[in-house]
Amino acid sequence: MTRTLRDRTRTAPAVLLAVLGLLLGASACTTGRAATATDPKAPAAATADPDRIEALPDTPAPRLPVTVPSADGRQVTVTSAERIIPLNGSLAELVFSLGLGDRAVARDVSTTFEQAAKLPVITQAHEVSAEGVLSLRPTVVLADRSTGPAEAVEQIRAAGVPLIVLDDAKQLSDIGPRIDAVAAALGVPGAGAQLKERTQRRIAEVRAQLPAAGAARPKVAFLYLRGSASVFLLGGPDSGAPSLIEAAGGEDAGTAARLTGDFTPLTSEALVKAAPDAILVMSKGLQSVGGVDGMLKLPGVAQTPAGLDRRIISIDDGRLLSYGPRTPQVLREIADQLHRDAK
């Protein structure tokens, strides 16, 4: 999830935190297999299993020490990448994609891909345990602006562990700089350039296969759903989804309806005004409301063109808003479901 969703959970009622923790924790319980090397010039569809990370074919050797800027204004020197702890799923995806997954020694609850399944979890509902992190003797920790609590971050730094904060990724244009930043911090800038090129090329391949520019752009509403906690939100321009929707050949319904900010409570009036042709959701959110049939019972859904056509696009929670090497897969899945009638 993006920073906005994580921040929202921190200020939500305790029951919401508990439910989100259970949902995310359950999604992480998969079995692990060894990573396989694949052709970096293969098309975006080459990775058959969306729950696996496609590492670069050659394992890079970190060249350290390096001193890199942290997004919180510090300069951080990294002398070893032998024991890496990425504090969210998006950062873990980058570490494994760069070919350094065997150096990761822990994960957070949002790291759900297969190769990381056996790593110990050092967060609870996205709250970092400083004691858990330090007990694993990391040589470098990767975080972003939504990592917290702040006291845990400072405790890790006070113990002398290099901790780099990265800017959050909320749109396609953030992917390249984020790859560069992680690769630089781990001393593998060459691998970062290769991963960035592969990711950008695959995104371009997906976009090249979209319907002609003159074709109508279906409106897509992003809904964040957690049925067990009665959390139903309609995404706005800052939700993190508009960049994906637009790149897949759609129009963000929340933006078109002149919503502001990240999310607004889902109401019949708001959704009918947005009038989406399709609705984008995270897979566990869809499950939490009882699938498509249950979703049609939510306020306003059945009255929209999307509801009438049962046009629901469901993407895995751990991939949808990760904005990283698996984003080409996400774009392809959204585009295929969104433009199915045009094919």
Side-chain angles (χ1 to χ4, degrees), residues 210-211 216-218 244-251 335 338-339:
L210 294 175
R217 295 173 65 86
L244 285 171
I245 292 169
E246 292 161 10
E251 178 185 13
L338 186 58
H339 303 291

Side-chain angles (χ1 to χ4, degrees), residues 286-297:
L286 184 60
Q287 293 170 16
S288 76
V289 297
V292 175
D293 289 338
M295 188 171 170
L296 292 174
K297 299 175 183 178

Side-chain angles (χ1 to χ4, degrees), residues 15 23 29 54 105 125 141 153 216 231 250 288 292 295 311 327 329:
V15 65
L23 287 168
C29 294
E54 180 187 1
V105 296
V141 174
V153 171
V231 176
S288 76
V292 175
M295 188 171 170
R311 200 168 186 181
T327 295
Q329 299 170 359

